[in-house]
Amino acid sequence: MRILAIETSCDETAVSVLDIEGGESAAQFKVLGNALLSQIDIHKEYGGVFPALAKREHAKNLVPILESALGEAHLLMSQSTEPSPELRTNLEELLSREVGLSDNLFNFLQRYDVPKIDAIAVTHGPGLEPALWVGVNFAKALALAWQKPLIGVNHMEGHLLSALAEGMDDLSSFEIRETAFPLLGLLISGGHTELVAASDWLSYELVGQTRDDAVGEAYDKVARMLGLEYPGGPLVSRLADQARDAGVPLLVSRLPRPMISDATCDFSFSGLKTAVLYLVKDRDLSDEEKGQIAREFEDAVAEVLWKKTARAIDETDAQTLALGGGVSANANIRRVFTERIAAEYPHVALRIPKAAFTTDNAIMIGIAAFYRALRNEYADPESLAANGNLSLT
Ligand code: KG4
Ligand code: ZN
């Protein structure tokens, strides 16, 4: 099965083409094409992702990104003369509809033959709704013009299932082998912190979630307090790692570990963030002090994440633990989870995506789409809608 996947939920415009063989018990994935454009430099000056700007950039960049991904996959064939009568009819039909068709997409569709793909997948939530709509409308237009089935993908499911990819050296190919259920997913990103249990493929139940800030959000806010740029997660992490390597002594005042011993699998990070704020307020911090704070913050985050995850493993009898989302790139969290699982739950298979594969991309959207397609879960192009708060459960 060949899937074209599109991702525009936040500040990355991404398109991938995957060729997939196999089924739920074992599947081999070849990445035929993968193109991604990050808008981070544009959003940096706003200290966060600015939705209207994200929307504009996605709209501007989707056609070139699509062209690049299909070109890399050798699936871009110029029309020998002019659009086939069938394509022409589809395009006329498309023009008569409200799918927000841009001139550059229409020109693109006229220029190339219908590519040899089996389905078009697109993230329809969660994320920034104006940004999501650009991708959804784009995918709908392609589905109509090319008469291909459409698959709506939950972004968090993409993060979760991409953790299962094995044998990935350079993003060009990988496989997902037999997976032991129940599976527990810890999804940690800029917008989400949740523990999700799956009793089988694609059937999810929410086990715990943050009651206030997401972990990535806490990282980004602490970064700002320490005078670091957006997105601050990787920079806080680097500062903390440097402090660890240099043997900088621990901070005298321990930061709180919010909700660590309560009887739920829920999280809270706003108190931790406020505690950092009190530490840095009205003070001119030395680099060493910043490193100490970053390290203590990381230790507090990893300890809370681990404790709640361990509780969720006990509650769900999980056999596999998958980490996903941008924050799962964090070296300290990866280290803590690897050590703790080996020491306390050696029977649980820990799956963490390659660090380069934790940030938003379209390959993970293609992976999730494949499992949806196996179950014939296609979307109706008339009714597929972007939903900023789309839930997995
Ligand atoms: O999944 P993602 O790319 O976008 C969302 O769907 O939110 O996650 C982005 C978040 C940001 O908050 C960023 O600061 C954080 O992931 N992040 C990290 C690291 N790399 C990215 N946080 C901590 N350590 C990292 N190495
Ligand atoms: Zn994400």
Side-chain angles (χ1 to χ4, degrees), residues 4-16 35-37 39 58 62 65 121-128 131-132 134-136 138-139 153-156 158-159 359-366:
L4 174 84
I6 299 164
E7 155 67 37
T8 65
S9 70
C10 191
D11 58 350
E12 253 96 33
T13 313
V15 176
S16 71
L36 183 143
L37 191 72
Q39 305 171 2
H58 288 308
L62 258 177
I65 289 293
V122 64
T123 305
H124 67 119
L128 302 169
L132 287 162
V134 181
V136 168
F138 191 81
V153 173
N154 181 307
H155 181 86
M156 300 316 287
H159 276 305
T359 45
D360 291 350
N361 63 81
I363 297 175
M364 69 181 201
I365 303 308

Side-chain angles (χ1 to χ4, degrees), residues 185-208:
L186 172 65
L187 300 174
I188 41 181
S189 71
H192 289 82
T193 301
E194 54 194 28
L195 280 159
V196 176
S199 52
D200 196 357
W201 289 103
L202 317 189
S203 73
Y204 304 105
E205 198 184 318
L206 188 66
V207 179

